[in-house]
Amino acid sequence: MRPRSVEEVQEAVRQAGRLRVQAGGTKPALSAPREGEEVLDLSGLRGVLEYAPEEFVFTALAGTPVAEVEALLRAHGQHLPFHPPLAHEGATLGGTVAAGLSGPLRHRFGGVRDFILGVRFVDGEGRLVRAGGKVVKNAAGFGFHRLMVGSLGAFGVMVELSFKVFPYPRSTATLRLALGRLEEALERMERLLALDLMALDLEPPATLWVRLGGLPESLPLRVERLQALLGGGEVVEEDEAYWEEARRLAYGPLLVKIPAKLPEIPRLEALLAGPRRYIAGGEAVYAGLEPEERERLKALGVPHLVLKGEVPDPLFPPPQDPFFLKVKRALDPRGRFPLS
Amino acid sequence: MDPLKALRAIYPPSRLLTREAELVPYESDALTAYRARPLAVVLPETEEEVVRTVRLCRELGLPFVARGSGTSLSGGSLPVEGGVVIALNRMNRILRLDPVRRIAVVEPGVVNLEVSKAAFPYGLYYAPDPSSQPVSTIGGNLAFNSGGAHCLRYGMTANHVLGAKVVLATGEVVHLGGEGLEGVGPDLLGLFVGSEGLLGIALQVTLRLLPRPERYHTLLAAYETLEGAGEAVSRVIGAGLLPGAMEIMDRLAIEAAEAAVGAGYPQAEALLIVELEGEAPEVEAEARLLEEVIAQSGAYEVRVARTEEERQRIWKGRKAAFSAVGRLSPDYLVQDGVVPRSRLGEALREIQRLSQAYGLRVANVFHAGDGNLHPLVLYDGKKPGELERAEALAGEILRLCIRLGGSVTGEHGVGMEKRAYLAEMFSPQDLEAMERVRLEVDPGRLANRGKVFPGG
Ligand SMILES: Cc1cc2nc3c(=O)[nH]c(=O)nc-3n(C[C@H](O)[C@H](O)[C@H](O)COP(=O)(O)OP(=O)(O)OC[C@H]3O[C@@H](n4cnc5c(N)ncnc54)[C@H](O)[C@@H]3O)c2cc1C
Ligand SMILES: Cc1cc2nc3c(=O)[nH]c(=O)nc-3n(C[C@H](O)[C@H](O)[C@H](O)COP(=O)(O)OP(=O)(O)OC[C@H]3O[C@@H](n4cnc5c(N)ncnc54)[C@H](O)[C@@H]3O)c2cc1C
């Protein structure tokens, strides 16, 4: 099924047994249908509906590719500061929200949960529900829009989303600092967390990538200050291109997101061997894993989400608490939407 | 079972209030136009007492309301007649403050400002700063998704709460969220934040702390018209600046603030406060840009804070504005509507017109960067019919906000006051979905009954 309107989505949901939403297909571990599921392809539900640059707000259909939105914003000197991963590979707004993914630039102003303002979704009974709004501040009604973040579509099919956006810095610069040991890198990161950085990533074993954004007049001085604080660091020529490459997440065979925190990095490092990157001051790691490594994470109880690679259970641990179950029952009483 | 007898099994007499004189302070919140007499007020000191109380209420079908400091301006912490008030002020310990993880784990009754004070020695602070910051609690802030002057850049409370331990209205205890900024799985905490005490009670909250900015640059500009100040805000945004705060006060609010705290503001129809913050070299460069923008915006007087004392003076008047308006009028209603930023001028003109039509003064203090208006409708409750007229005027302002594509509340919540208007903002289906979630969690509608939903 490839609906072209909200009504068609509602119809599809009402007719369905079990439904799996697919849009860009960039996170196949989540969107590939399992036995007994029908695919609801949302890629036909695309387009920006409203955008007023001076409001810092836009509204678009959920199947709209992130790249399309970013091109439009860029023409007005703006961007999505949470920097959705896999944008060039075809990720959609809905898929990004459903999977709950943010990229390296989330460091400065926050992740997808901080920028989503409103949603319209079709619940498990085919009813169209709106929550949140189209203004940068709003506290009316339950925050279903926030609930959608990371929901993997378990509560409904998002059809329309509103986001806050911010100005893109007039100029940017990136420093690379290769250190000898992980401990040194972590010690530098901790000091850097006090600064107003656009991005602060760790590429194991011990390379830091730091990005600054701001006015062109102040940037050279800020780069100097940063170098002094770091005790070195080379300025990267391909600033923009580098960060675009970083969010491609071309890791395999299983691409996994693991929430982290700076003090937990040594423990995670002992578990991970493949290509990987800690983003946003160590708040999450995107890693390429072998299937056995993934089993180890599960055995050790490390929460994570598999984005690519064939696994029956991409979300670990599966949410089971009473609050989840009650909300699920309220919005999808017939269990039409699988969770991961 | 006799409910009071059952409560006595949980609480010593000193923490179970039932006498009339003891109950009076709890009969309303900061929206004093509504009052209700609870059966009892309990003052828990432990999570276990809260959980036992909720379970007891559920067994007995007794409505209950969680209460922080009772500063809600929308009747959010108004008791249910004959129900139980669970007052959380005594659960006010900061349980853990971890400067490396940059989090604070606190009990729900901790006062907002106390978190920033505790974080100060580590160069950290808690960003959400409602004007009620020295009084309101983290639990109340969480339930209302409270805001403040810094929401445009930093977001509301929802963006700064990472985890919570919660007793659901069913009596089950759950952990939502965690200790990090990134998670996997649905953002259940995101749903709980802003649910106005209808889904359960927060027992413990994990907050995100931010590094204190290295430099502030605070500017005060005076304008001959409110529109002039509003336009300046658009120019600042248009220049690509993202200030930490942009606030506007109109003549009436300025007069009130002056009378109350003597901030030394210039005489003006409208004042704009803009505050830049961040790394020193960046703030310095931005300040030059801001200066150009403001110079072209028609301001006739511009002041820049040169010292921290001067900065605090500028903010003092703004922060005191609500309570100061109390000097101009025996009573007032605070409204909290939001409009798209580009429609601010239109909204303010219409509010002026309504004020004249209703014969009631309206003072305006607002978060201009967010389009979040705070019209203060002045009235005298002793004059027959004035409260009703003030409420009707406030209602028209809310409808105006909806019509312009905004919201009926930016930060004060729906509470008791704006229930009817929620149905104008959302469709019956939208509200029904919210109500279905609520009923799954609270089949008896015991938690904060009568709030948020039009039907109660
Ligand atoms: C049962 C279910 C319902 C989903 N509902 C939605 C939805 O309503 N809106 C949405 O944008 N994304 C939803 N997703 C997520 C979405 O299918 C994928 O994100 C999606 O295909 C995104 O495209 P992508 O390339 O960005 O990611 P994909 O690799 O295609 O999928 C990533 C994850 O997002 C889910 N997803 C994608 N689009 C949607 C959508 N519109 N609504 C809900 N989930 C979506 C996918 O199913 C998958 O879990 C749902 C997922 C599931 C499992
Ligand atoms: C002078 C003044 C200025 C103000 N300025 C602002 C402002 O700038 N921005 C802003 O957003 N608000 C502002 N407010 C409104 C108010 O301070 C906020 O809504 C605040 O968050 C309420 O906190 P409280 O502790 O007083 O909560 P209460 O008023 O006691 O309760 C508010 C709501 O929270 C619920 N609640 C309380 N604790 C819990 C808990 N632990 N778990 C679940 N639910 C709970 C209550 O049931 C109630 O529904 C202002 C109020 C005043 C009087």
Side-chain angles (χ1 to χ4, degrees):
Chain A
M1 287 174 292
R2 190 166 180 274
R4 304 201 137 267
S5 68
V6 172
E7 292 71 28
E8 285 178 21
V9 174
Q10 291 182 273
E11 198 47 42
V13 170
R14 290 198 192 103
Q15 307 278 317
R18 284 173 78 75
L19 254 192
R20 186 164 295 262
V21 177
Q22 203 175 80
T26 62
K27 297 169 274 288
L30 304 172
S31 56
R34 317 294 199 256
E35 177 97 30
E37 292 175 353
E38 278 181 85
V39 169
L40 184 65
D41 175 358
L42 273 196
S43 61
L45 209 66
R46 65 193 276 176
V48 175
L49 303 175
E50 289 175 44
Y51 172 44
E54 70 278 16
E55 301 290 351
F56 286 169
V57 172
F58 77 88
T59 299
L61 293 170
T64 311
V66 169
E68 190 177 314
V69 173
E70 288 187 329
L72 174 67
L73 295 175
R74 210 46 192 272
H76 295 271
Q78 299 184 338
H79 72 146
L80 283 167
F82 62 90
H83 204 216
L86 304 167
H88 303 293
E89 288 67 23
T92 61
L93 289 173
T96 298
V97 171
L101 300 185
S102 304
L105 305 193
R106 80 140 356 263
H107 184 61
R108 188 155 189 206
F109 293 116
V112 55
R113 82 189 284 256
D114 302 308
F115 284 87
I116 187 167
L117 296 175
V119 68
R120 286 207 302 161
F121 67 97
V122 174
D123 76 1
E125 299 286 49
R127 292 173 289 217
L128 184 63
V129 177
R130 186 168 72 88
K134 296 178 180 176
V135 278
V136 295
K137 198 169 174 194
N138 172 27
F142 286 175
F144 287 150
H145 51 299
R146 291 188 291 270
L147 176 69
M148 295 295 146
V149 175
S151 68
L152 304 179
F155 305 112
V157 182
M158 288 172 263
V159 292
E160 187 188 299
L161 293 156
S162 298
F163 290 91
K164 178 160 100 169
V165 300
F166 273 164
Y168 193 81
R170 288 197 198 173
S171 59
T172 59
T174 297
L175 278 183
R176 174 180 175 275
L177 180 69
L179 293 155
R181 293 179 313 123
L182 177 66
E183 295 71 40
E184 282 177 74
L186 296 179
E187 181 269 330
R188 298 290 205 296
M189 274 173 98
E190 197 183 321
R191 271 196 269 159
L192 287 172
L193 284 172
L195 295 188
D196 198 355
L197 306 173
M198 243 181 127
L200 171 57
D201 285 11
L202 166 68
E203 191 184 22
T207 301
L208 295 183
W209 294 88
V210 190
R211 194 177 192 195
L212 289 174
L215 293 174
E217 311 87 278
S218 62
L219 213 57
L221 177 57
R222 293 177 66 203
V223 168
E224 271 175 43
R225 282 183 10 139
L226 193 57
Q227 282 170 322
L229 186 74
L230 283 171
E234 61 178 286
V235 176
V236 176
E237 292 298 326
E238 300 288 318
D239 166 71
E240 182 79 34
Y242 173 76
W243 293 98
E244 288 314 299
E245 185 58 32
R247 68 167 166 168
R248 281 181 195 274
L249 305 180
Y251 309 146
L254 299 183
L255 170 62
V256 180
K257 171 190 165 179
I258 310 168
K261 243 350 200 176
L262 198 60
E264 284 152 15
I265 293 179
R267 173 169 172 250
L268 286 169
E269 278 300 276
L271 294 171
L272 305 174
R276 61 200 180 275
R277 176 180 200 91
Y278 293 84
I279 67 157
E283 290 291 332
V285 50
Y286 287 105
L289 297 187
E290 296 295 331
E292 317 76 76
E293 291 181 279
R294 198 260 162 149
E295 288 309 312
R296 270 223 311 156
L297 289 185
K298 276 166 70 177
L300 291 168
V302 179
H304 60 274
L305 178 69
V306 182
L307 305 172
K308 286 185 193 171
E310 259 179 50
V311 293
D313 55 344
L315 175 64
F316 179 86
Q320 286 299 342
D321 76 70
F323 191 48
F324 169 77
L325 296 172
K326 287 174 210 292
V327 176
K328 173 83 174 156
R329 208 152 49 225
L331 296 175
D332 181 23
R334 289 169 214 243
R336 281 189 165 115
F337 305 124
L339 180 80
S340 76
Chain B
M1 199 190 339
D2 172 21
L4 285 180
K5 200 166 151 195
L7 287 170
R8 267 182 220 118
I10 306 177
Y11 297 95
S14 61
R15 295 196 283 116
L16 172 64
L17 315 181
T18 54
R19 288 199 306 268
E20 184 175 337
E22 294 172 325
L23 296 179
V24 168
Y26 295 91
E27 283 180 359
S28 78
D29 54 25
L31 177 63
T32 50
Y34 299 107
R35 295 197 156 268
R37 170 68 53 89
L39 170 75
V41 174
V42 298
L43 309 173
E45 287 177 352
T46 64
E47 286 174 19
E48 199 214 328
E49 288 175 349
V50 179
V51 173
R52 284 179 69 191
T53 310
V54 168
R55 289 183 182 161
L56 177 75
C57 287
R58 191 170 150 72
E59 261 167 52
L60 302 180
L62 206 58
F64 62 90
V65 180
R67 181 181 164 114
S69 294
T71 65
S72 161
L73 292 164
S74 58
S77 37
L78 179 77
V80 179
E81 197 77 43
V84 177
V85 173
I86 304 176
L88 298 158
N89 288 96
R90 294 193 181 199
M91 290 175 61
N92 59 3
R93 287 177 303 161
I94 293 175
L95 301 171
R96 184 152 75 87
L97 198 148
D98 185 333
V100 180
R101 287 169 171 254
R102 301 199 293 168
I103 55 169
V105 182
V106 307
E107 290 185 330
V110 167
V111 164
N112 176 308
L113 192 59
E114 295 301 321
V115 180
S116 287
K117 279 192 190 156
F120 187 88
Y122 306 101
L124 300 169
Y125 78 114
Y126 177 59
D129 62 341
S131 302
S132 55
Q133 183 182 36
V135 200
S136 66
T137 66
I138 293 298
N141 292 175
L142 179 148
F144 268 29
N145 193 11
S146 293
H150 295 89
C151 292
L152 180 66
R153 190 176 164 104
Y154 296 108
M156 303 164 68
T157 294
N159 303 148
H160 300 272
V161 175
L162 301 178
K165 182 176 180 188
V166 164
V167 54
L168 296 175
T170 43
E172 290 152 296
V173 175
V174 294
H175 293 263
L176 310 176
E179 296 197 344
L181 299 177
E182 286 284 316
V184 290
D187 188 359
L188 295 166
L189 177 66
L191 174 63
F192 188 80
V193 174
S195 58
E196 302 199 16
L198 266 62
L199 299 177
I201 300 182
L203 300 169
Q204 229 183 68
V205 189
T206 303
L207 303 171
R208 159 194 192 194
L209 303 174
L210 297 184
R212 273 203 318 279
E214 184 184 9
R215 178 74 50 87
Y216 293 100
H217 179 85
T218 312
L219 172 150
L220 180 78
Y223 293 86
E224 278 156 14
T225 62
L226 209 44
E227 273 113 337
E231 257 164 46
V233 171
S234 298
R235 283 170 186 261
V236 172
I237 295 282
L241 290 169
L242 188 63
M246 278 193 283
E247 303 281 302
I248 291 180
M249 300 169 72
D250 74 1
R251 170 176 285 285
L252 210 48
I254 300 165
E255 279 171 15
E258 274 306 309
V261 296
Y265 286 157
Q267 290 274 330
E269 279 306 312
L271 285 180
L272 169 67
I273 300 173
V274 184
E275 186 163 272
L276 302 169
E277 54 184 75
E279 267 193 75
E282 186 62 17
V283 169
E284 281 157 24
E286 286 182 353
R288 287 192 289 276
L289 179 58
L290 178 66
E291 200 174 310
E292 283 169 33
V293 172
I294 295 293
Q296 287 161 16
S297 72
Y300 64 83
E301 185 172 342
V302 180
R303 293 183 194 170
V304 171
R306 299 288 162 203
T307 62
E308 179 59 24
E309 289 69 48
E310 286 180 24
R311 170 174 176 251
Q312 289 306 336
R313 258 251 299 263
I314 290 178
W315 278 112
K316 197 171 166 192
R318 165 61 188 90
K319 294 219 166 184
F322 279 15
S323 41
V325 165
R327 293 173 168 249
L328 301 182
S329 166
D331 303 288
Y332 62 94
L333 291 176
V334 186
Q335 281 310 302
D336 174 41
V338 184
V339 297
R341 199 190 295 112
S342 59
R343 318 283 301 258
L344 269 175
E346 194 178 341
L348 291 165
R349 268 197 303 281
E350 182 62 12
I351 291 172
Q352 273 300 305
R353 193 190 66 73
L354 289 167
S355 160
Q356 274 153 18
Y358 279 81
L360 292 172
R361 289 181 298 167
V362 178
N364 283 290
V365 187
F366 54 97
H367 309 303
D370 306 316
N372 187 187
L373 295 162
H374 285 319
L376 303 152
V377 180
L378 278 47
Y379 71 97
D380 183 349
K382 287 192 215 65
K383 292 193 186 148
E386 265 209 7
L387 169 62
E388 290 70 22
R389 226 165 61 238
E391 284 184 325
L393 167 53
E396 289 222 38
I397 294 174
L398 293 181
R399 291 207 174 91
L400 170 71
C401 293
I402 298 173
R403 207 161 62 235
L404 294 177
S407 170
V408 296
T409 170
E411 53 184 24
H412 296 172
V414 176
M416 177 76 191
E417 185 195 27
K418 294 186 268 293
R419 291 187 311 170
Y421 302 99
L422 201 64
E424 297 186 24
M425 189 169 155
F426 291 107
S427 76
Q429 282 210 341
D430 303 336
L431 293 177
E432 201 226 333
M434 296 178 199
E435 178 78 1
R436 263 186 289 141
V437 167
R438 178 215 194 169
L439 287 176
E440 279 293 339
V441 179
D442 184 10
R445 292 189 175 90
L446 300 177
N448 217 358
R449 176 184 284 174
K451 315 296 165 58
V452 183
F453 293 112

